[in-house]
Amino acid sequence: MLFGDDHVRRYEETDGEVGYTWMKGAPILILTTTGRRSGRPRKSPLIFGEYEGHHVVVASKGGAPDHPDWYKNLVADPEVRVQVKADRFPARARTATGEERAALWARMVEVWPDYEDYQRKTEREIPVVVLERLD
């Protein structure tokens, strides 16, 4: 099973032939953010869904009490890069709110049912992020 930097490396080397499908069949994309302190590119393999032509990811961190670093990075700088299989493109990230968040949350729980368990484990509302393609 691939995790972290090894997952990113294998995914990029094979244009997603290795690493696109993860545990329980979940699809994976590679999100590149800019480190909020370092200014360096930071890559994360993330489960994603699609909704109205956009890619959607969830900042769950397994239900930890704090947001994942990749989410903190995109809040500081919403201009990101995305790779889905061989397709690489720039995107703008935004956090969904209100009814949109509720609809996207329901969609993402279909993709990865464990998100419901993660939400029960934490006091924070887990952010749902829309990646809007720029090219």
Side-chain angles (χ1 to χ4, degrees), residues 49-108:
E50 296 181 43
Y51 188 84
E52 296 184 358
H54 301 297
H55 294 86
V56 179
V57 294
V58 175
S60 67
K61 199 175 177 182
D66 194 22
H67 297 309
D69 286 338
W70 65 261
Y71 179 74
K72 294 175 190 175
N73 289 343
L74 67 77
V75 167
D77 181 356
E79 304 299 314
V80 299
R81 303 258 336 143
V82 178
Q83 180 179 348
V84 179
K85 294 189 176 179
D87 188 19
R88 294 171 171 88
F89 56 91
R92 182 169 293 114
R94 65 177 176 80
T95 303
T97 60
E99 291 179 12
E100 180 188 42
R101 184 202 178 276
L104 293 174
W105 179 261
R107 170 69 186 110
M108 292 308 294

Side-chain angles (χ1 to χ4, degrees), residues 3 5 16 18 29 31 39-40 49 58 74 77 91-92 95 105 121 132 135:
F3 293 98
D5 291 342
V18 175
L29 59 71
L31 177 68
R40 296 174 35 200
V58 175
L74 67 77
D77 181 356
R92 182 169 293 114
T95 303
W105 179 261
K121 287 168 58 175
E132 297 176 337
D135 66 0

Side-chain angles (χ1 to χ4, degrees), residues 110-129:
E110 291 174 7
V111 174
W112 189 254
D114 291 355
Y115 286 139
E116 289 285 18
D117 293 332
Y118 301 164
Q119 184 60 77
R120 281 191 284 276
K121 287 168 58 175
T122 185
E123 297 286 321
R124 67 183 172 96
E125 179 176 80
I126 293 176
V128 179
V129 177

